[in-house]
Amino acid sequence: MDTYAVHLAMAALVGASFVAVSAYYMHRKTLNQLLEFAKSVERESDETTPRTTTTRRSIPRSTPRSGGATAAGGRGMAITAALRRPVTLPLLFKIIGNALEKQQACLKYNGEIANQDVVDVEVVDSTIVILAASGCHWKSPSHASSTKRAGHLIRPTSPKSPVASASAFESVEGSDDEDNMTDNAKLNAYIHTNGNVVPECNSLFKDLPSQNNANGEQIPIAASSMIRSHSVSGDLHGVQPDPVAADILRKEPEHETFVRLNITPNEMPSPEEADVYRNLQACLELRQSYVFREAITPWEKEVISDPSTPKPNPSPFDYTPEGKSDHYFKMEDGVAHVYANEDSKEKLFPVADATTFFTDLHHILKVIAAGNIRTLCHHRLVLLEQKFSLHLMLNADREFLAQKSAPHRDFYNVRKVDTHVHHSACMNQKHLLRFIKSKLRKEPDEVVIFRDGTYLTLKEVFESLDLTGYDLNVDLLDVHADKSTFHRFDKFNLKYNPCGQSRLREIFLKQENLIQGMSLFSHLSEMLKLHVEKGFSFLFCRFLAELTKQVFSDLAASKYQMAEYRISIYGRKMSEWDQMASWIVNNDLYSENVVWLIQLPRLYNVYKEMGIVTSFQNILDNIFLPLFEVTVDPDSHPQLHVFLKQVVGLDLVDDESKPERRPTKHMPTPAQWTNIFNPAFSYYVYYCYANLYTLNKLRESKGMTTIKFRPHTGEAGDIDHLAASFLTAHNIAHGINLRKSPVLQYLYYLAQIGLAMSPLSNNSLFLDYHRNPFPMFFSRGLNVSLSTDDPLQIHLTKEPLVEEYSIAASVWKLSSCDLCEIARNSVYQSGFSHALKSHWIGKEYYKRGPDGNDIHRTNVPRIRLEFRDLIWREEMQLVYLGNASFAEYMEP
Ligand SMILES: *[C@@H]1O[C@H](CO)[C@@H](O)[C@H](O)[C@H]1NC(C)=O
Ligand SMILES: *[C@@H]1O[C@H](CO)[C@@H](O)[C@H](O)[C@H]1NC(C)=O
Ligand SMILES: *[C@@H]1O[C@H](CO)[C@@H](O)[C@H](O)[C@H]1NC(C)=O
Ligand SMILES: [Zn+2]
């Protein structure tokens, strides 16, 4: 109940997230520093006649050229900036040495420099710096930079720490104050540098203006406030107020120029390398042959001409009868095949069979294990990371200026989708607590449970636990993941039990005490099943539905946050689908900010043990046959039909770290799978994929929405999980094990497969936060987004998604540009409709590269996307040996 209760109370009371609160404090702190700083400047200029050197010594990094604009943030900020991205310069050179020397490559900065900085400046000089390191010519044109005008000393600091380079100077941090050479003298000193580059380079980079706004981990909103406070405080130094902010706003964001990073690899890969690349090509082509893609892309189907906000669907659950089609389907070896009619012999939508799939999977596994391929991919990945660091050094400043000049948008009002969150854990614990208390107060006499032959009301349940509503607090609720759950999935499941009392859980979150170990993913349908059978149908469902509605309205209130909730279908009965659909429809669970995913717990062995199923085929039948039925004849399950319009994906969940046997090329068919062991992950993957593939083809041919395959993969367990998803999945949740396989990681990069990562959740279960590969994946250019996974166990504030972003931003020193890019990725990865996506991230979002970006909506500068696109194309060209072809549009 100590600090975190205070935090909660604070969040609840103020009605704001931590973020906002801390932003406020940070902002205030900054202002104070600013004032302090201003005073000291005044003091000094009083004492002495303007002696630049003295004045400048008293101000950290005060020369504009040396990134002096940090000044506004004060020393503390500058130091935090220095911690960003632990890439040291020596390392940089070492890598260039290794990776490029070997390939006889050269690293050049081909800078096309902005001729004018946005801040009104005079260009001081431009000098070309050549550094010879390992035979590479590194040209860095010096940058246009501001002259030393007092007004600039307090140029508004950017709310981000732009540069990887900053961290390169850990060793020299603190030496800034001593730095009293003139800029020219300094530059000249480096021009003569040769070989022994390290210390000089440190200072050289300090000179790049890209660091100007080096500044700690503040959150974006601080930016605007600081700009404002700057202009309000006005004449701090006895000079005219600096019209910086206004200037920035007048500037067209699109006009930012981009310092291109031109790293030319060896034109001709050696024969061995070419061989490796051909192997990678083959893997990419295999993926192309498996993954379901819509034949007609959403943007071809529906051209959005009206740029205004799409109107909310007034009656999302209305059913208009649609005719039955003649299609005939039947399960053959675990995969449902569709025929034009009952007599037809020709499969309408052929899909790769299991043997082919497992053969291809083995091929991929062989490729990713080969030593030379691993080495090369590792090199490429490290190089990608370094390129991003260089990009930040050169362009971070420009990126931030572009962001500032995009009117209205900041991190808070760009759209972000929580791409991975489980519905049963979608509220935070305080919310759950309040809900329980309010139910106890308002509806104590509802009969809520049938236990040991008696019906108990809510009040009686609490009495039997010897609890009153007043006793309840978050600690007692005890659903939070803490240290004891680290690496212990079984304990984690226990945590899912409010008050350690399964009775409460049964009521509010519904627990199966029937099935050990299922509680983590136990969901609605289970509750429905238990209670429908016992004649309670509506009550329990009503509680969960009410809670869900409250969560929906929180989302709607935040406006810029969306979520994709995952609810379970277990595959124990065919009626599960109808129960789920009627729960959704009858409770009117609809929100413009929400779409649904279905998650399938991989629990064959449990059901088998309980005698619910006889073979794996039963599960497949229970899951997929109702879907085919409703697709062929919507009238057969009208509620399911309307519910499926809001289902965008199918997920597979369970603890991946359970041991499993490696799949072989010839696996028993699902009907033959009658033993008590759970099939391997890839076995589940194949059968879900194949059934979903034919289902989607059928749905597409009938003009219905499709359901993408988006499993949990690579959270733990073997690497073949990730290989199986590489072949079949649209995007995946987690993927942290990609850090163990450079080849797969590189393939995921090339194919730009989406990863919905949840570093906080991983913190409590499998991987410490600071070891999470998220920042590495992000800088390498993988398609990553941040998601919450289980707010009930993990997050403390009312806006779990923002909490996730905020912690990532401060731990990994992500800039506001980074955050907005991640948010933009999350919209791409999500299953929201074409109309909504165009509204959220830009009319032409489906175009590749910077053309698809609209900074007015995403707040991501063109420069960033140009960089990502350029680097990705280079990489593809390399892998395709110069013969890559690029589609103009993204893959749907
Ligand atoms: C700073 O300048 C003064 C005089 O110009 C010089 O004596 C001193 O050594 C310089 N300090 C450094 C660190 O270069
Ligand atoms: C990222 O992944 C999503 C699917 O998960 C995809 O739609 C999107 O195009 C990808 N982004 C890029 C830049 O390819
Ligand atoms: C390059 O691609 C074209 C068509 O895409 C193909 O005809 C040609 O053979 C390829 N060239 C090489 C060297 O692979
Ligand atoms: Zn999850």
Side-chain angles (χ1 to χ4, degrees), residues 1-9 18 796:
M1 271 306 283
D2 30 288
T3 42
Y4 97 8
V6 174
H7 286 154
L8 275 173
F18 272 134
L796 296 176

Side-chain angles (χ1 to χ4, degrees), residues 637-684:
H637 310 261
Q639 285 184 326
L640 181 55
H641 178 72
V642 293
F643 169 53
L644 284 183
K645 288 182 184 171
Q646 283 146 44
V647 172
V648 300
L650 182 81
D651 185 6
L652 277 177
V653 294
D654 195 21
D655 182 2
E656 287 185 68
S657 61
K658 289 178 189 163
E660 60 178 36
R661 264 176 283 172
R662 273 218 164 181
T664 58
K665 286 178 198 169
H666 298 282
M667 301 287 276
T669 63
Q672 292 161 350
W673 195 285
T674 52
N675 65 41
I676 55 161
F677 301 107
N678 209 18
F681 179 86
S682 46
Y683 193 82
Y684 274 99

